[in-house]
Amino acid sequence: MNPVTSQPELIKVIDDCTPIEPHAPLQNIALTFSGGGFRAASFSLGVLSYLFRIQFQDKPLLEKVKFITSTSGGSITNGFYVSSLYLNPQHSFLEFYQQLRKEMEGEKLLQEAFSTLRNKKAWTENGSFKDASGNIHIVHKKRNLINAFAKSYDKILFNHATLGAIADAHRGANKPHLEKVCFNTTEFNNGINFYFQINTHQHFVYRNGNGYLKLSKSETAKKLKLSDVVAASSCFPSGFEPLLYPNDFVHENNRDLNELFEGLDFSHNNPLDLDDVNKKAFALMDGGICDNMGLRAVQLEDSRRLNANPTNGKAARNQPFDLILSCDVSSYFNNPYKEKNGSHGGILSFLTIQRLINVCKYANILLLACIASIVLKLAPVAGYLLLIPSLALSAVYWFGFVKLKRAAKKSGGSAAVAFKYLDYFLRLPLSKLMPMVKERLSSSLMLVSDLFLKQIRRAQYENLLSKPVMKNRAQVCLIYEFSSAHEARRLRNLEDRDKKWWDEMKETLMPSPAMQQLVDEARTMGTTLWFDESSKDKRDKVIASGQLTACYNLIKHIMRLETLHHRYKHDADLQKLKQELLHDWHRFQQDPCFMINNLTA
């Protein structure tokens, strides 16, 4: 059984082979924000800010965005935007933009996290669990780095907001445009995505979890803090520890672990080993492990809309998306693997592990000599000076000897064979052994953190863009779109996919040297959760790259619509939008950062 396609929440599209042509374009837009630390958060902020700037039907195009799904760094922008939109109605978009831009400046978040980690008094969150025997167990939020970041998010960005506070926020007559948001994480019991979703227009937390393990009670999910959800979405492997549900989700208003467990449906969870996982804490980590762009979540939501019953009085809200814009700071670029050269000559060519073991072994004789010299008062000063070193080396020898003997005795099968050839590595000079170890570590790290994730990314985009049902609607907004390294491939893709209109627009839409230089700098920024003092300019370049790339992709989307049917060329609203986009594009060519400090100028 395929664990992905067999998930109960997957809804089959009515006709996956039929392209959808939007009757009224750009009325229902979905965004996906990829992972990638503050690079992703900044790029996503750039896309949002451009959608706010550009007007469509006398309102910001951002008003047409109905769904946002995010992963890792993109969840920071998603979470801050939805909390600002629903919990601070007096907070304008311009204030949201400037505040998030400011909060990403310097090392403020990093400093707050480490300050919290050092402060023992800051770790007061706990909950209680009553087992089957009636015994009460106290569980504390673990004092570790990812929870320190969660507490920092809570203080600096989200003002202690819960999922329920957003879902139940008072809206008045004019409801905000955003109807549903999704935060992607990965759960380790089944090794697949775990979703935290909020239906912001129907007052409940929606479809949380996955087909195997899900929060079946909305009231349980409502009590979870937005900061913990964003931390779970952004705790990338090797940098952070996993978050445990429910232990790390306890807070002052959410202490009953029995209630947190009862809100979960374990009936489909890990069916081969159900007794060991039923009502047990489980680990959540970065959503980018399985889906760094959040593409599966948006396809699930689109499938629900396609299959919605139009007679339920909510037909407008159940329309499929007219545009799915995937905002991605990942790339297909790989740094070439470089062989690790071993050192030649010197002490490393003489030293082996076996010789180091012999040093520790002979330290036993030295230890006995030291004890004798002290007891017999024969050079007692030398005995005292050499006692501690010889004792330490002797302890290392006997500790390793006992451990190795026990391991060899218990080993069987392939491990027993490996022990037979261990002597070869023990006698290999360190000048040869160390490069061997470095090569294995570096190639394994490259495989896990780079090649493996890029293969998943490639497969997900192929799955999305190859579907006829997505042909006229899915668009990819890439941070490296106009980088010099991608130029040849970008032009080749346009000539293959968009030959009907590209020759006409080629001269207009070519990037200027200033744009290309900006994008080259933006795409090479590292995956971090801070912009140090020297990186302020780079932060704004990443935001600007999101703005100009969003502008370009909207132009491209309209050009593609025009090749579908002549009516789009006569749609007054769409043509007005196209002219405004082309005007902005010309400004981006001259000054790629023209709207960084003033979104409306």
Side-chain angles (χ1 to χ4, degrees):
M1 184 173 70
N2 188 316
V4 175
T5 57
S6 63
Q7 293 188 52
E9 93 276 19
L10 179 60
I11 301 173
K12 189 179 186 298
V13 177
I14 291 176
D15 187 353
D16 200 39
C17 297
T18 303
I20 294 176
E21 184 180 324
H23 177 70
L26 300 177
Q27 299 303 310
N28 291 284
I29 299 175
L31 302 177
T32 79
F33 295 160
S34 79
F38 272 9
R39 184 176 75 241
S42 302
F43 188 77
S44 302
L45 181 61
V47 173
L48 277 181
S49 63
Y50 188 73
L51 294 177
F52 168 78
R53 170 189 170 79
I54 198 71
Q55 298 289 303
F56 181 60
Q57 297 176 338
D58 299 322
K59 291 183 179 180
L61 186 58
L62 184 60
E63 295 286 324
K64 303 299 183 181
V65 174
K66 308 300 179 185
F67 178 78
I68 301 178
T69 178
S70 61
T71 299
S72 198
S75 290
I76 295 173
T77 301
N78 188 14
F80 191 52
Y81 181 58
V82 72
S83 62
S84 175
L85 187 66
Y86 277 89
L87 302 181
N88 296 298
Q90 75 284 357
H91 206 204
S92 70
F93 183 89
L94 295 174
E95 290 173 312
F96 151 77
Y97 170 79
Q98 292 295 356
Q99 185 175 347
L100 183 54
R101 185 176 166 219
K102 180 181 177 181
E103 297 300 351
M104 288 192 292
E105 184 176 298
E107 303 169 31
K108 184 175 181 180
L109 186 65
L110 192 67
Q111 290 171 349
E112 179 65 31
F114 277 94
S115 175
T116 301
L117 191 61
R118 287 192 294 265
N119 184 9
K120 185 177 181 180
K121 294 180 179 179
W123 299 86
T124 58
E125 299 92 340
N126 65 76
S128 61
F129 174 72
K130 182 183 289 187
D131 62 24
S133 303
N135 299 315
I136 296 178
H137 305 271
I138 303 298
V139 175
H140 294 270
K141 187 181 184 78
K142 194 170 183 180
R143 187 178 173 186
N144 59 21
L145 188 58
I146 187 58
N147 281 328
F149 267 91
K151 291 166 75 67
S152 300
Y153 293 151
D154 196 41
K155 178 180 177 180
I156 295 175
L157 297 177
F158 305 133
N159 196 26
H160 316 299
T162 62
L163 302 190
I166 296 169
D168 294 336
H170 176 70
R171 297 165 186 82
N174 298 317
K175 295 181 179 179
H177 65 91
L178 197 55
E179 296 171 357
K180 194 176 295 182
V181 292
C182 176
F183 301 92
N184 294 261
T185 68
T186 302
E187 59 96 353
F188 281 12
N189 276 15
N190 303 288
I192 57 176
N193 288 113
F194 189 96
Y195 307 110
F196 290 98
Q197 298 193 85
I198 312 169
N199 188 329
T200 54
H201 277 184
Q202 293 185 13
H203 299 265
F204 63 91
V205 179
Y206 186 74
R207 292 182 185 273
N208 285 273
N210 54 44
Y212 293 125
L213 187 63
K214 57 187 175 183
L215 284 157
S216 57
K217 292 184 180 179
S218 180
E219 291 303 316
T220 302
K222 278 185 174 184
K223 294 182 179 180
L224 304 181
K225 277 193 172 182
L226 180 59
S227 55
D228 291 328
V229 169
V230 170
S233 178
S234 59
C235 59
F236 54 88
S238 75
F240 294 108
E241 314 83 354
L243 269 84
L244 290 182
Y245 179 92
N247 306 30
D248 291 327
F249 287 79
V250 297
H251 56 82
E252 57 275 8
N253 297 316
N254 194 34
R255 298 177 183 274
D256 189 346
L257 268 70
N258 290 87
E259 180 183 346
L260 292 173
F261 276 126
E262 291 299 329
L264 276 165
D265 180 3
F266 283 88
S267 59
H268 297 283
N269 184 36
N270 196 353
L272 297 179
D273 202 7
L274 185 60
D275 291 339
D276 286 346
V277 297
N278 188 38
K279 292 190 178 180
K280 299 290 196 311
F282 60 91
L284 294 169
M285 282 203 83
D286 197 304
I289 297 170
C290 291
D291 182 359
N292 198 42
M293 294 77 64
L295 296 181
R296 178 168 169 75
V298 76
Q299 289 181 82
L300 285 170
E301 177 60 24
D302 191 58
S303 297
R304 294 185 188 107
R305 285 169 169 258
L306 282 165
N307 287 270
N309 182 0
T311 63
N312 63 2
K314 301 174 183 176
R317 197 173 299 154
N318 289 324
Q319 292 296 317
F321 295 122
D322 305 314
L323 174 62
I324 297 171
L325 191 60
S326 177
C327 308
D328 187 3
V329 301
S330 306
S331 76
Y332 61 85
F333 301 114
N334 286 322
N335 294 321
Y337 177 77
K338 295 181 180 179
E339 184 180 7
K340 307 297 180 184
N341 295 322
S343 59
H344 301 285
I347 191 170
L348 292 182
S349 62
F350 171 77
L351 285 178
T352 66
I353 294 178
Q354 184 61 59
R355 283 174 175 163
L356 293 175
I357 291 173
N358 290 340
V359 170
C360 294
K361 180 179 179 181
Y362 297 142
N364 289 285
I365 300 173
L366 179 62
L367 177 63
L368 293 175
C370 290
I371 294 172
S373 69
I374 293 170
V375 172
L376 300 176
K377 296 182 179 181
L378 299 172
V381 175
Y384 280 116
L385 288 174
L386 296 175
L387 180 64
I388 299 300
S390 61
L391 180 61
L393 291 173
S394 297
V396 169
Y397 173 79
W398 287 109
F399 178 81
F401 179 82
V402 171
K403 286 287 184 182
L404 196 61
K405 285 293 184 183
R406 286 179 179 176
K409 187 176 181 180
K410 291 180 180 179
S411 65
S414 58
V417 175
F419 269 103
K420 287 173 61 178
Y421 297 96
L422 181 62
D423 185 63
Y424 168 79
F425 295 100
L426 295 180
R427 297 183 184 280
L428 197 67
L430 293 184
S431 60
K432 296 184 180 297
L433 182 62
M434 289 174 66
M436 290 173 63
V437 173
K438 286 180 180 179
E439 283 195 72
R440 279 152 182 77
L441 290 175
S442 61
S443 60
S444 297
L445 183 62
M446 185 177 181
L447 179 68
V448 173
S449 65
D450 204 9
L451 298 180
F452 176 67
L453 294 180
K454 282 180 170 57
Q455 288 297 327
I456 293 176
R457 177 182 182 273
R458 183 178 291 111
Q460 288 169 332
Y461 273 132
E462 287 177 355
N463 176 263
L464 175 75
L465 299 175
S466 65
K467 290 181 177 179
V469 75
M470 292 291 177
K471 180 180 179 181
N472 303 323
R473 303 181 297 140
Q475 198 94 347
V476 184
C477 191
L478 301 166
I479 193 172
Y480 58 82
E481 183 85 47
F482 300 107
S483 71
S484 55
H486 182 64
E487 182 74 358
R489 184 166 181 171
R490 183 180 71 85
L491 294 175
R492 188 168 61 249
N493 290 341
L494 286 165
E495 289 163 0
D496 292 343
R497 167 74 168 80
D498 297 293
K499 62 177 101 178
K500 290 182 180 180
W501 61 268
W502 175 240
D503 285 342
E504 172 195 348
M505 298 295 293
K506 183 175 182 179
E507 186 175 345
T508 302
L509 293 182
M510 287 297 286
S512 66
M515 292 171 66
Q516 202 159 63
Q517 182 179 349
L518 176 138
V519 171
D520 279 335
E521 291 184 40
R523 80 164 183 88
T524 56
M525 182 205 155
T527 303
T528 62
L529 287 173
W530 62 86
F531 286 103
D532 58 33
E533 291 300 318
S534 63
S535 300
K536 292 179 183 179
D537 186 52
K538 186 167 282 191
R539 173 205 60 191
D540 286 344
K541 288 181 178 179
V542 176
I543 293 173
S545 69
Q547 293 167 343
L548 66 88
T549 309
C551 175
Y552 168 79
N553 275 278
L554 290 170
I555 296 171
K556 187 162 69 172
H557 179 63
I558 294 173
M559 296 305 299
R560 287 176 174 176
L561 288 178
E562 289 180 357
T563 63
L564 292 178
H565 200 283
H566 64 83
R567 71 169 177 269
Y568 295 112
K569 294 184 178 181
H570 302 289
D571 185 316
D573 290 328
L574 198 62
Q575 291 305 309
K576 182 181 178 182
L577 173 64
K578 177 181 172 181
Q579 293 308 313
E580 291 182 3
L581 289 167
L582 288 170
H583 178 263
D584 277 354
W585 178 253
H586 180 65
R587 293 188 66 182
F588 280 125
Q589 288 176 315
Q590 295 178 322
D591 178 9
C593 295
F594 82 87
M595 61 174 285
I596 280 292
N597 293 312
N598 192 337
L599 300 183
T600 58

